[in-house]
Amino acid sequence: MNKYYTITELTREFGVSTRTLRFYEDEGLIHPERRGRTRLFRPADRHLIKEILRGRRIGFTISEIREIIQVYKDPPGEIGQLQLLMQKVSEKRDDLRQKRRDIDETLTELDNVEEACLTRLAEIGVGT
Amino acid sequence: MNKYYTITELTREFGVSTRTLRFYEDEGLIHPERRGRTRLFRPADRHLIKEILRGRRIGFTISEIREIIQVYKDPPGEIGQLQLLMQKVSEKRDDLRQKRRDIDETLTELDNVEEACLTRLAEIGVGT
DNA sequence: GGCAAAATTGACTTTCACGTCAAAGTAAAT
DNA sequence: ATTTACTTTGACGTGAAAGTCAATTTTGCC
């Protein structure tokens, strides 16, 4: 019977505040239904929020996220717009690939830090 | 003769503003030498800036970056501190792994968007 | 139907990471 | 020596993404 989520259910699930979800609505990222003035979130909204938060984690701005959502809702019909979009997609992809390289490098760096810690601990442990 | 870099040389190389580098100095991330009041950047500073910017790209805050730099400069000597550090490292790593998953998912999504664009372009192209 | 808990709106505040200017000091080249 | 290009400090401003607070509704529940 088409489950609805309340706002706090979702804030608990995703670890965000109600303010955040309202903010996303103000920004036009989500459009929960209303019963009176109270927001009712459907599974589709919930899914969208998941994607928004994923975008947030990797550093997309609200308007970038909005753009992506827009594309899914109604992809541009004009050739120029399509080409522009493809260009942006390509830039974003390069961006993300760079970010992944950065992450990989940082991960190995963190491994080094950890190993240094372990060695250090061993030293201290032996000394006492 | 130990090459020095001027501030604008580095801003050009890294595509940041002088304000940014001065900000990083204010925040204690770098410590360029001075001739009079003018900053002189050494290769070590340059390298550090590279790391700072990498950290920035993957979404580390200034103080997170500062922490990491600190560890390299002088790793904690106390056991408690070491354990705390290792815990943080482990958290960061989980964080980065999640981020990588996010990126991978988004990359395939972008591929889909691109393909949708291409199909759309083909349709339009055929129609005209 | 009454009441505590939850939700809403609106306004104001905050944090981060710089941007922007102004005023003044320096360096380099002609 | 003067112009021209950099550089510095300091103060204030800004945009993004919420946080916080207060004053109302609204709901869920017995």
Side-chain angles (χ1 to χ4, degrees):
Chain A
M1 56 169 353
N2 261 315
K3 167 107 205 208
Y4 284 114
Y5 304 92
T6 90
I7 196 170
T8 30
E9 271 180 304
L10 293 182
T11 63
R12 278 178 193 139
E13 175 171 3
F14 295 119
V16 299
S17 71
T18 60
R19 179 70 182 84
T20 300
L21 294 185
R22 279 187 224 114
F23 176 66
Y24 291 160
E25 185 181 8
D26 286 349
E27 292 293 321
L29 302 185
I30 50 181
H31 301 281
E33 295 174 21
R34 299 282 180 132
R35 175 166 57 209
R37 1 182 73 185
T38 302
R39 277 163 259 251
L40 294 176
F41 295 80
R42 315 261 327 247
D45 298 312
R46 180 170 163 284
H47 181 248
L48 203 42
I49 292 172
K50 237 191 269 188
E51 300 222 340
I52 293 169
L53 295 178
R54 191 179 68 201
R56 182 174 84 161
R57 281 195 300 274
I58 60 183
F60 283 177
T61 69
I62 296 294
S63 47
E64 285 172 320
I65 295 173
R66 188 172 25 228
E67 263 183 279
I68 295 176
I69 292 175
Q70 278 304 319
V71 171
Y72 276 92
K73 278 175 58 174
D74 89 290
E78 204 204 318
I79 290 196
Q81 292 301 313
L82 270 171
Q83 288 169 341
L84 192 76
L85 173 58
M86 287 183 57
Q87 194 187 318
K88 275 190 200 169
V89 164
S90 157
E91 281 167 20
K92 269 298 151 224
R93 221 169 14 199
D94 290 349
D95 208 82
L96 289 183
R97 292 212 186 98
Q98 174 62 51
K99 225 167 227 180
R100 202 166 51 169
R101 279 195 296 278
D102 290 333
I103 287 176
D104 286 341
E105 285 173 27
T106 307
L107 276 172
T108 60
E109 238 186 73
L110 287 182
D111 286 347
N112 292 343
V113 172
E114 191 183 36
E115 225 182 304
C117 285
L118 286 171
T119 333
R120 198 93 179 73
L121 271 179
E123 285 171 20
I124 300 175
V126 166
T128 47
Chain B
M1 48 177 6
N2 263 315
K3 168 108 207 204
Y4 283 114
Y5 303 92
T6 89
I7 196 168
T8 30
E9 271 179 305
L10 292 182
T11 63
R12 279 179 192 138
E13 174 170 4
F14 294 118
V16 299
S17 71
T18 61
R19 179 70 181 83
T20 299
L21 295 184
R22 280 186 220 115
F23 176 67
Y24 290 160
E25 185 180 8
D26 286 348
E27 292 292 322
L29 301 185
I30 49 180
H31 301 282
E33 296 174 21
R34 299 283 178 130
R35 175 167 57 212
R37 0 182 74 187
T38 302
R39 276 164 259 251
L40 293 176
F41 294 82
R42 314 264 326 248
D45 298 311
R46 181 171 162 283
H47 182 248
L48 203 42
I49 292 172
K50 237 191 269 187
E51 300 222 340
I52 293 168
L53 295 178
R54 190 179 69 200
R56 183 174 84 160
R57 281 196 299 274
I58 60 182
F60 282 177
T61 68
I62 295 295
S63 47
E64 286 172 320
I65 295 173
R66 188 171 27 227
E67 262 184 278
I68 295 175
I69 290 176
Q70 277 305 319
V71 171
Y72 276 92
K73 279 176 59 175
D74 88 290
E78 204 204 319
I79 289 196
Q81 291 302 313
L82 269 170
Q83 288 169 341
L84 191 77
L85 173 58
M86 285 183 60
Q87 193 186 319
K88 274 189 200 169
V89 164
S90 156
E91 280 167 20
K92 271 299 151 225
R93 221 168 14 199
D94 290 349
D95 208 81
L96 289 182
R97 292 213 185 95
Q98 174 61 52
K99 223 167 230 179
R100 202 166 47 175
R101 279 195 296 277
D102 290 333
I103 287 176
D104 287 341
E105 286 173 27
T106 308
L107 276 171
T108 60
E109 239 186 74
L110 288 183
D111 286 347
N112 291 343
V113 171
E114 191 183 36
E115 225 181 302
C117 284
L118 285 171
T119 331
R120 199 94 179 71
L121 272 178
E123 284 171 20
I124 299 175
V126 166
T128 46

